[in-house]
Amino acid sequence: MGDESKSVDGEVNDNKYFSNAAVTDAGVSLEHHHHNSMPETRLYKKRWIIVCLFSSYSLCNSYQWIQYGIINNIFMRFYSVNSFTIDWMSMIYMLTYIPLIFPVSWLLDKKGLRVIALVAAALNCAGTWIKVASARPDLFPVTFLGQFTCSVAQVFILGMPSRIASVWFGSDEVSTACSIGVFGNQLGIAIGFLVPPILVPNVDDPDELAANIRVMFYITAGVATFLFVLVLIVFEERPEIPPTHAQAAARQISPESYSYTASIVRLLHNKAFILLVITYGLNVGCFYAVSTLLNRMIIEHYPGEEVNAGRIGLTIVIAGMVGSLICGVWLDRSKTYKQTTLAVYLMSLVGLVLYAFTLDLGHLWVVFITAGTLGFFMTGYLPLGFEFAVELTYPESEGTSSGLLNCSAQVFGIIFTICQGKIMDSFNTLAGNLFLCAFLVIGTFITACIKSDLRRQLANQQALAAAASGRTDVQVHSGTSFLPSTHM
């Protein structure tokens, strides 16, 4: 397993940061120089398999979030329901997240990554098979139950990218790894935009329509089952030797001394983090609303263009995936968390304004370009928010901080989707999009007020400085202020 390794050697006299007993208890191998040393850190090749497997079952789950909404008009006719009811097939993903994120974050802290991964893959698999049974016009409640089951699975998925990145990856790769985790989720949404309009064309024959819907459901169920089996066989809790000094220190905090409630309270007292929670919710909530209502917006101005509506959705997400990866790699290189987050936030606003004012020009190619620009920045923001949150809140659990971010996004997502839908019904699509723009303006100003307090970076730098100089007084507590000053 440990094919690639990174070790930090350094003579240590009185090791307070990593006492032998504490580190050995955490299952960490020590290298010995004289009687004590900094702990070994190692990177395992398997880390890439773990993050890619996570990315895959995240993809399968997020695909289903938008599979009804993007052919909204077809499912309305098939199940004889109104457009608001089909909007709820997307919004149920947001609604279930809000009450469940706290118990799931607690479970992640208590049971670890493997248990959460298994539950997520199992629920996702169950939801897909419930949908297989629902391809009849009189079985809308069954298809809703299937979607609800998948939405519960999503709660076990969304908070994991930053946790997997921290547990498995080196300090120069965490943002890239997190963006790969987010990448899978976005690719799933992209496939959700692209595939349903192709598999379920707008035909008049109800039997043919039912057969097409059944094929779509069967394909999803097959993929979800395969991924569940893979998770069962391959997915591991954590590497034997930690990848970074920050992670080694985090392992020292005993489960008994860790309180989930106290962690939440500390996070709620962290002003920079609370501001980030609000701004993240505003940005991602806008993305959810635009994605859910995309079919309605496009069909209003370009009737009969269901397949192109899907392609525009695909363009938004593909551009966003490129944005995510570029932002992740850039963060690992530059460590400019606040500056990058603010720049991308501002460009999300510019993208949405461009999209809003060009949607009704009558040229689909213009919509593709403006939607792509919007997606590049709005989706590129996702891993930035996660990683900035981990920096602001270290050594709190990554699952808890990203859970609170996602909870904010779901709350704003539901509010924005309902409000924008009603504004579009009463006025027009431009008014609906300008409604979202106003909140992105507010979010940009709040982002500018966030204090850049990069605690995880400081922990790694001070551990390395201590190793280099023979100093050993770097300490980690599970409070919020914990690092002594070090002369680098």
Side-chain angles (χ1 to χ4, degrees), residues 210-222:
N212 292 338
I213 290 171
R214 195 172 292 113
V215 166
M216 177 172 74
F217 288 158
Y218 264 118
I219 291 170
T220 315

Side-chain angles (χ1 to χ4, degrees), residues 93-99 101-102 105 158 268 273-289 345 381-382 385-386 389 399-417 439 443 446:
Y93 261 60
M94 305 176 210
L95 186 64
T96 49
Y97 193 90
I98 297 163
I101 183 51
F102 296 106
S105 293
L158 280 187
L268 293 177
F273 176 66
I274 292 302
L275 291 178
L276 182 64
V277 166
I278 295 166
T279 59
Y280 185 91
L282 291 171
N283 190 309
V284 182
C286 287
F287 171 72
Y288 287 160
Y345 212 107
Y381 176 77
L382 294 171
F386 278 159
T400 311
S401 61
S402 52
L404 287 167
L405 287 185
N406 282 319
C407 192
S408 171
Q410 314 300 334
V411 170
F412 282 114
I414 291 173
I415 295 168
F416 288 169
T417 303
F439 286 98
I446 298 175

Side-chain angles (χ1 to χ4, degrees), residues 361-377:
L361 293 182
H363 302 295
L364 265 173
W365 64 269
V366 175
V367 181
F368 273 95
I369 292 169
T370 55
T373 307
L374 172 67
F376 181 89
F377 293 106

Side-chain angles (χ1 to χ4, degrees), residues 12-58:
V12 186
N13 301 316
D14 177 23
N15 198 341
K16 295 174 189 169
Y17 183 27
F18 298 108
S19 73
N20 246 350
V23 177
T24 309
D25 286 346
V28 181
S29 304
L30 291 178
E31 296 175 353
H32 289 281
H33 299 279
H34 304 296
H35 69 283
N36 236 340
S37 80
M38 294 296 283
E40 179 185 357
T41 59
R42 175 172 293 175
L43 295 177
Y44 295 89
K45 281 185 178 171
K46 187 164 187 179
R47 69 193 189 281
W48 298 109
I49 297 172
I50 297 290
V51 76
C52 288
L53 181 55
F54 165 76
S55 217
S56 300
Y57 73 75
S58 174

